[in-house]
């Protein structure tokens, strides 16, 4: 399984790291064959919303060659969704089997047309921004509709990583990863299309 992590200036690093830390255990545990990942962006180096700089592996690769594409969030997504060059790149993921986002990364999936007719979630501060792009905004930590999976705000990235790992393998693998992360909040074995619905308004 080849995974592409889409990075960009102004992203929230916790969005990226939470998912990355969980899902890459699939390689360490050899839970799936040929697991690899690539850090991708529209430039050689990106800077997150706190000033952390990160170098990437590939600049604007065709995303269609990957099995899974992940997009984090951050305030920058509010403008990036209108950037024709950047969104043209995101649209190269049309044939990718698994499309995943967390937080306002969902705005980019939506702007690319990948949430049309689907349920999705995002950071609670962006529910209204997401609504025009999807069939229904769900207040939950993780929402899966077909092969598109979206996560809620920031720390939901960890739940999202564990959810996708369990979905792609099994509950035993997810439990092993959960123990490695010492993250007690994910509920292994509760795999459904809506995971941990919010109780807040």
């Amino acid at each position: 399984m080849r995974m592409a992590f889409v990075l960009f200036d102004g992203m929230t690093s916790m969005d990226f790291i939470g998912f990355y830390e969980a899902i890459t255990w699939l390689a360490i545990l050899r839970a799936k064959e040929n697991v690899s990942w690539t850090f991708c962006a529209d430039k050689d180096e990106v800077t997150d919303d706190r000033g952390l700089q990160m170098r990437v592996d590939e600049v604007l690769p065709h995303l269609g060659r990957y099995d899974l594409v992940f997009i984090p969030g951050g305030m920058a997504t509010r403008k990036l969704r209108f950037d024709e060059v950047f969104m043209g790149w995101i649209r190269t993921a049309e044939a990718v089997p698994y499309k995943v986002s967390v937080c306002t990364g969902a705005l980019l999936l939506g702007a690319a047309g990948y949430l049309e007719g689907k349920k999705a979630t995002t950071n609670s501060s962006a529910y209204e921004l997401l609504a025009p792009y999807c069939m229904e905004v769900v207040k939950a930590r993780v929402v899966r509709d077909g092969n598109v999976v979206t996560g809620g705000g920031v720390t939901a990235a960890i739940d999202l990583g564990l959810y996708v790992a369990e979905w792609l393998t099994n509950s035993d693998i997810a439990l092993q990863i959960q123990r490695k992360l010492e993250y007690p909040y994910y509920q292994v074995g509760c795999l459904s299309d809506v995971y941990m619905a919010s109780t807040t308004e």
Side-chain angles (χ1 to χ4, degrees):
M1 167 169 277
R2 301 189 67 194
M3 300 184 288
F5 295 102
V6 172
L7 310 181
F8 50 85
D9 281 337
M11 72 178 204
T12 298
S13 286
M14 182 63 190
D15 288 353
F16 158 56
I17 293 297
F19 181 80
Y20 165 76
E21 177 66 26
I23 200 68
T24 53
W25 274 100
L26 293 181
I28 298 168
L29 296 174
R30 298 182 180 178
K32 291 188 72 67
E33 292 184 2
N34 302 317
V35 176
S36 65
W37 52 87
T38 304
F39 305 117
C40 311
D42 59 347
K43 53 197 293 191
D44 290 327
E45 186 174 276
V46 300
T47 304
D48 81 349
D49 56 8
R50 312 296 170 88
L52 178 65
Q53 295 180 321
M54 289 170 273
R55 292 197 62 81
V56 304
D57 299 317
E58 294 197 34
V59 176
L60 297 175
H62 194 289
L63 297 173
R65 71 191 204 210
Y66 295 94
D67 302 302
L68 183 151
V69 168
F70 169 77
I71 305 177
M75 290 297 291
T77 59
R78 289 161 170 79
K79 290 185 178 180
L80 275 177
R81 61 191 169 129
F82 300 118
D83 185 316
E84 293 185 6
V85 174
F86 189 88
M87 290 310 305
W89 175 46
I90 298 300
R91 290 189 182 97
T92 67
E94 183 176 3
V96 172
Y98 305 106
K99 301 176 183 69
V100 184
S101 73
V102 71
C103 201
T104 55
L107 298 180
L108 301 182
L109 286 184
Y114 300 143
L115 300 181
E116 186 174 350
K118 295 183 179 295
K119 296 179 181 180
T121 194
T122 186
N123 189 295
S124 60
S125 68
Y127 286 158
E128 291 185 2
L129 295 177
L130 181 63
Y133 296 121
C134 63
M135 179 180 70
E136 180 184 351
V137 175
V138 181
K139 298 178 181 181
R141 298 287 279 181
V142 178
V143 174
R144 174 170 54 88
D145 193 328
N147 281 359
V148 176
V149 190
T150 52
V154 196
T155 59
I158 303 173
D159 298 281
L160 178 68
L162 287 165
Y163 179 98
V164 174
E166 182 174 8
W167 180 44
L168 295 177
T169 58
N170 55 64
S171 58
D172 288 339
I173 294 298
L175 185 58
Q176 287 185 59
I177 298 172
Q178 183 178 24
R179 288 171 176 164
K180 297 290 187 183
L181 299 182
E182 296 192 14
Y183 184 75
Y185 309 107
Y186 181 74
Q187 300 172 14
V188 172
C190 295
L191 208 61
S192 66
D193 57 354
V194 175
Y195 174 77
M196 285 184 66
S198 173
T199 57
T200 60
E201 294 297 330

